[in-house]
């Protein structure tokens, strides 16, 4: 068969567009679905060819019909078949190297799956541009499905294209891939491609490419194939060989098999039991044929196009053929062949599959337990849990099960529960742990998972049982550390100090570093909430310096160590600690782990506050705008700090993509707060105030985040010229200063105190009072290192000094602010300072002409001149609002300002004055 691609030009063009976008730095994912034999593999083969011509590295992996037995099979398959340069790059990532032949599993230090995922993302970045194809996703194991979701969410600006294929006819209502596809197709990076049957004309053209055929036979094939190219190929082969055409594809395929010699059929049946692929030596052993007879049989099968040579073995030309041959096996024949494979294979997962299929329950039990341990080491917790559960299901049916497995049933069930939790199924873990004898270890994990499930009373009770039943000091240390954690945020939080003191004493005596680090971090959180920042800093420094041997715990400690420095205004120290933590995250493939991400956005904030805006913008470039989940939206929101302050073109697109996530308080606080500033810089205070009110409405009284929002809201009120709502905003801000929402009096770091002062200064500005001393205090408060906010405060201080008659002092502050704004390339602030300088005549006339705002403009801002021109055209406020995309109330404010500045009383007089001054040209 020549396999020319016919009738798929539109689908191929769509895939090529995704590939081209990847080449241009906009990563993408394509999911190709269709019935068996419809041409998915052929279409992707064409894309692979196109990618290679464009200089892409290509990785192709195949899922196998072994359920969840083999974790990461397509990834391992793709790496094994990759070109040498890619294999060499993969070997440099230990978590990926262990998937290559002859490599040992890396020792576990926690977060194994996240490290593997991060390592793959790093590899794809190393070898980009790259096309990664995963075939037959309907057979994918849980970890491979999780990997696909991870890649689909994480690839943004890399030169990476991921393509997955799946059978639509295999996706029954409860198939696990269905929910994954539904989730992925909502992501902006993902494109779905559905392959339907070929039209009659296209099918005729396709059959014609297979060889010469009479018109009658051609019509028969086209009508029988029903638009399915694989079915058409088999029909063509049957007609060409003079065979009759039976009903149905399965019967047709078996007619192709039945013409083989007895030896050929024997080999093909053995190959079908192996699966889609099988190695030459293994197939020969299982077939039981002499070498010469075996090789002759294989030549016959390959010549008839039933198997293809693939590396050191063979692959069925199509998965449907393997399924048909396997289904046709007699029960005893199938059992014997599975048993033969089980005697020869060494992979625990494959052994478990073949032992179970050959009814060897003891072998299946032992192999399943070992397969679970291997999956655990590989970072595939879902598969580990599945294997352990299979073993537990066989336990009562096998005599001497504990000796075969090498551990007790209770111990295996405990491991199964932990793996369920690691795969994200806390509910399943809790159910399994509750069914076990309540040892200290079981109760400690149960408490931990119940706390994460927000069942705090049950978590505390379980933790107390763990403490009471601890059989040794190590178990007691871990139980106490978890007990302290469950008390946080409860009405028993005052017990934390005593519990953590005992936990630390016990952990240090027993040398249990993970329990010690956990207790230190819990205590640090508690004392921080009480306002003792110095003590919190000391505790976290201890936890992060000594290390626990658990990567998750160590990264958590480093993040909080850097955060405490940052919140104390110690930016240099915060940067040093954050950089060290980021290096650990990158070295272990944890760039996109929870704390790896937290460390990167904290480093972004440090750059931003310290005035290192080029570095901040570079970091923000990794916070993708094309978001599909809430965590991605929150991370993306941070980029708005720099984009709004520099008025970059990306602001509007990012805000439009974040809008669907404004139901989240945190996402709304981040993005709507910055959307409010963006609106203010663009002359739309009414919209800014709407954002502020929406963000503050659900806030709990006393939250420190109210400070920044209140300051922005008061800025908007000042621009609107109204005091309505100003007192409420100041009251909400003062509550955050005087008392926090939890654990006693609130504590504010230097930034919080600075925002609190700015709220007071803005409140006075709303009431028409430009308080010089108050604005000077705002400048001093932000001068702990917040470069941009110092400049913004100097802008207001300059205005206050000017109003107080201190022109020299005003110009000095203005010059400092303008210098900073220029260095930061903070365009909106530069424009505001330019306008202030023009009105105050700080600039000479030549500079004023260059900077904007010509002579005789009556002090109108650029936006007011824009509104004046539309007023002169006779437009109403509503029409102006629609044209400028601002609120009608904002237009009304602008018109009032125009009338006042031009010293006229009507819109007609304003238009005449504008023409006289040359403002309407």
């Amino acid at each position: 068969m020549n396999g020319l691609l016919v009738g798929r030009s539109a689908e191929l063009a769509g895939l090529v567009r995704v590939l081209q976008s990847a080449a241009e730095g906009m990563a993408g994912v394509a999911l190709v679905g269709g019935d068996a034999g419809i041409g998915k593999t052929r279409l992707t083969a064409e894309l692979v060819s196109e990618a290679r011509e464009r200089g892409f590295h290509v990785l192709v992996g195949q899922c196998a019909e072994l359920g969840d037995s083999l974790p990461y099979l397509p990834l391992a398959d793709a790496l094994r078949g990759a070109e040498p340069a890619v294999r060499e790059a993969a070997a440099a990532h230990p978590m990926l190297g262990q998937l290559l032949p002859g490599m040992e599993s890396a020792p576990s230090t926690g977060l194994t799956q996240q490290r593997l995922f991060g390592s793959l993302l790093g590899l794809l970045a190393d070898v980009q541009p790259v096309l990664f194809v995963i075939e037959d996703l309907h057979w994918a194991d849980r970890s491979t499905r999780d990997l696909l979701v991870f890649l689909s969410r994480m690839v943004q600006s890399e030169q990476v294209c991921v393509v997955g294929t799946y059978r639509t006819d295999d996706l029954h209502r409860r198939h696990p891939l269905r929910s994954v596809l539904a989730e992925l197709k909502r992501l902006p990076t993902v494109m779905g491609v559905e392959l339907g049957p070929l039209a009659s004309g296209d099918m005729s053209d396709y059959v014609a490419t297979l060889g010469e055929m009479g018109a009658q036979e051609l019509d028969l094939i086209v009508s029988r194939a029903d638009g399915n190219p694989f079915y058409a190929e088999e029909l063509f082969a049957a007609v060409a060989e003079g065979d009759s055409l039976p009903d149905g594809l399965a019967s047709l395929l078996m007619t192709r098999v039945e013409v083989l010699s007895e030896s050929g059929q024997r080999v093909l049946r053995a190959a079908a039991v192996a699966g889609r692929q099988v190695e030459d030596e293994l197939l020969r052993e299982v077939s039981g044929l002499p070498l010469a007879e075996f090789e002759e049989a294989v030549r016959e099968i390959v010549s008839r196009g039933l198997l293809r040579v693939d590396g050191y073995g063979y692959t069925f030309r199509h998965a449907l053929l393997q399924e048909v041959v396997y289904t046709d096996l007699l029960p005893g024949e199938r059992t014997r062949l599975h048993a033969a494979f089980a005697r020869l294979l060494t992979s625990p997962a494959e052994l478990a599959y073949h032992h179970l299929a050959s009814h060897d329950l003891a072998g299946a039990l032992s192999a399943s337990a070992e397969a679970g341990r291997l999956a655990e080491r590989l970072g595939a917790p879902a598969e580990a849990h599945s294997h352990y559960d299979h073993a537990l299901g066989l336990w009562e049916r096998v005599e001497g099960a504990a000796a075969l497995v090498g551990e007790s049933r209770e111990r295996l069930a405990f491991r199964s529960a932990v793996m369920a939790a690691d795969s994200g199924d806390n509910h399943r873990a809790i159910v399994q742990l509750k069914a076990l004898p309540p040892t200290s270890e079981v109760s400690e994990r149960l408490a931990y998972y119940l706390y994460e499930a927000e069942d705090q009373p049950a978590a505390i009770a379980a933790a107390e049982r763990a403490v009471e039943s601890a059989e040794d000091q190590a178990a007691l240390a871990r139980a106490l550390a978890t007990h302290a954690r469950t008390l946080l945020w409860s009405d028993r939080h005052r017990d934390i100090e005593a519990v953590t003191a005992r936990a630390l004493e016990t952990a240090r005596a027993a040398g249990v570093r993970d329990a010690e680090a956990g207790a230190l971090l819990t205590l640090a959180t508690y004392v921080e909430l009480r306002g003792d920042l110095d003590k919190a800093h000391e505790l976290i420094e201890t936890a992060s310096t000594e290390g626990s041997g658990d990567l998750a715990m160590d990264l958590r400690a480093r993040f909080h160590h850097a955060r405490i420095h940052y919140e104390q205004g110690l930016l240099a120290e915060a940067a040093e600690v954050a950089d060290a933590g980021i290096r650990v995250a990158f070295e272990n493939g944890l760039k996109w782990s929870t704390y790896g991400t937290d460390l990167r956005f904290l480093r972004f904030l440090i750059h931003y506050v310290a005035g290192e805006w080029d570095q901040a913008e570079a970091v923000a470039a990794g916070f993708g705008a094309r978001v599909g989940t809430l965590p991605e939206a929150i991370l993306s929101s941070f980029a708005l700090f720099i984009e709004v302050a520099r008025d970059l073109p990306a602001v509007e697109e990012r805000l439009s993509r974040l809008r669907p996530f404004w139901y989240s308080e945190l996402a709304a606080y981040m993005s709507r707060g910055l959307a409010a500033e963006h609106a203010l810089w663009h002359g739309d205070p009414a919209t800014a105030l709407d954002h502020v009110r929406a963000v503050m409405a659900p806030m709990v009284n006393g939250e420190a985040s109210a400070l920044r929002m209140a300051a922005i809201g008061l800025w908007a009120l000042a621009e609107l010229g109204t005091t309505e709502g100003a007192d409420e905003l100041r009251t909400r801000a003062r509550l955050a200063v005087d008392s926090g929402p939890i654990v006693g009096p609130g504590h504010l770091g230097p930034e919080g105190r600075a925002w609190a002062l700015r709220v007071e200064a803005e409140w006075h500005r709303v009431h028409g009072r430009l308080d010089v001393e108050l604005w000077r205090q705002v400048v001093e408060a932000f001068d702990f290192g917040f470069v941009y906010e110092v400049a913004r405060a100097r802008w207001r201080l300059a205005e206050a000094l000017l109003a107080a008659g201190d022109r020299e002092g005003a110009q000095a502050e203005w010059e400092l602010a303008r210098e900073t704004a220029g260095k930061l390339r903070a365009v909106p602030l530069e424009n505001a300072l330019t306008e202030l300088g023009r009105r105050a005549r700080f600039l000479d006339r030549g500079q004023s002409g260059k900077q904007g705002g010509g002579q005789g403009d009556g002090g109108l801002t650029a936006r007011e001149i824009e509104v004046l021109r539309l007023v002169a055209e006779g437009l109403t406020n509503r029409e102006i609002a629609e044209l400028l995309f601002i609120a009608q109330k904002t237009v009304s404010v602008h018109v009032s300002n125009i009338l006042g500045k031009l010293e006229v009383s009507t819109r007609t007089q304003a238009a005449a004055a504008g023409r006289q001054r040359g403002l309407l040209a």
Side-chain angles (χ1 to χ4, degrees), residues 751-826:
E751 183 181 350
R753 293 193 294 270
W755 280 110
L757 284 168
R758 181 170 162 187
V759 167
E760 298 297 327
E762 292 283 6
W763 183 85
H764 282 283
R765 197 166 73 89
V766 168
H767 290 81
R769 297 187 292 274
L770 301 179
D771 191 316
V772 170
E773 288 310 310
L774 196 47
W775 278 110
R776 200 182 300 280
Q777 289 177 44
V778 176
V779 170
E780 291 169 356
F782 276 118
D783 205 21
F784 67 88
F786 205 147
V787 176
Y788 179 53
E789 291 304 338
V790 168
R792 290 212 292 187
R794 288 191 190 281
W795 166 38
R796 295 305 187 195
L797 176 57
E799 288 182 328
L801 287 165
L802 194 62
D806 185 354
R807 181 178 178 80
E808 185 178 347
Q811 179 150 359
E813 296 295 338
W814 175 82
E815 286 174 351
L816 288 171
R818 191 160 173 266
E819 180 184 3
T820 298
K823 288 178 179 177
L824 296 177
R825 301 203 305 281

Side-chain angles (χ1 to χ4, degrees), residues 139-359:
W139 288 330
D141 57 279
R142 161 72 183 276
S143 292
T144 294
R145 295 193 298 270
D146 290 344
L147 177 61
L148 177 65
V149 171
F150 173 81
L151 289 176
S152 300
R153 288 175 173 172
M154 292 300 105
V155 292
Q156 293 271 347
S157 57
E158 299 87 353
Q159 292 176 295
V160 174
C161 178
V162 180
V163 175
T165 70
Y166 62 94
R167 282 194 204 169
T168 52
D169 48 339
D170 269 21
L171 300 188
H172 53 79
R173 187 172 59 87
R174 300 184 66 182
H175 195 290
L177 186 63
R178 288 182 72 94
S179 59
V180 173
L181 293 173
E183 175 186 353
L184 293 182
K185 289 180 179 179
R186 289 194 294 267
L187 300 180
T189 54
V190 177
M191 178 184 78
V193 178
E194 294 292 332
L195 297 186
L198 288 177
S200 296
D202 290 331
M203 181 58 78
S204 296
D205 292 343
Y206 179 69
V207 175
T209 68
L210 302 178
E212 294 184 5
M213 179 67 58
Q216 185 175 353
E217 289 84 357
L218 177 62
D219 289 343
L220 177 62
I221 291 172
V222 170
S223 64
R224 292 283 296 276
D226 199 24
N228 188 299
F230 177 67
Y231 196 1
E233 290 179 15
E234 294 303 314
L235 288 167
F236 179 88
V239 169
E241 294 175 6
D243 297 334
S244 60
L245 300 183
D247 291 331
L249 180 57
S251 299
L252 175 62
L253 291 171
M254 283 310 300
T255 63
R256 300 282 313 285
V257 173
E258 289 163 358
V259 300
L260 293 172
S261 65
E262 179 57 37
S263 296
Q265 291 189 48
R266 184 172 177 175
V267 170
L268 196 63
R269 287 194 291 269
V273 171
R276 181 80 185 272
Q277 296 173 304
V278 62
E279 292 182 3
D280 176 87
E281 186 176 349
L282 181 61
L283 183 59
R284 182 177 64 79
E285 289 284 342
V286 172
S287 73
L289 294 174
L291 179 59
E293 188 176 349
F294 169 76
E295 290 180 343
E296 188 60 34
V298 171
R299 283 195 184 93
E300 179 188 14
I301 297 168
V302 172
S303 69
R304 290 187 173 275
L306 301 175
L307 288 180
R308 291 173 174 165
V309 176
D310 182 12
Y312 294 101
Y314 310 98
T315 303
F316 276 89
R317 186 167 70 85
H318 198 283
L320 280 173
L321 180 59
Q322 181 267 331
E323 293 167 24
V324 167
V325 175
Y326 183 81
T327 303
D328 191 61
L329 292 171
L330 296 171
E333 184 179 26
R334 187 180 302 163
T335 299
R336 286 188 294 276
L337 285 169
H338 277 295
F341 275 107
R343 286 192 296 272
L344 297 168
L345 291 167
T346 58
S347 163
E350 290 180 290
L351 277 174
Y353 168 72
H354 288 292
H355 276 309
L356 194 59
S358 64
H359 311 300

Side-chain angles (χ1 to χ4, degrees), residues 414 436-444 462 465-466 469-471:
F414 177 77
L436 291 174
T439 63
S440 180
E441 184 179 43
V442 168
S443 296
E444 185 274 329
R465 286 197 302 274
S469 59
E471 61 278 1

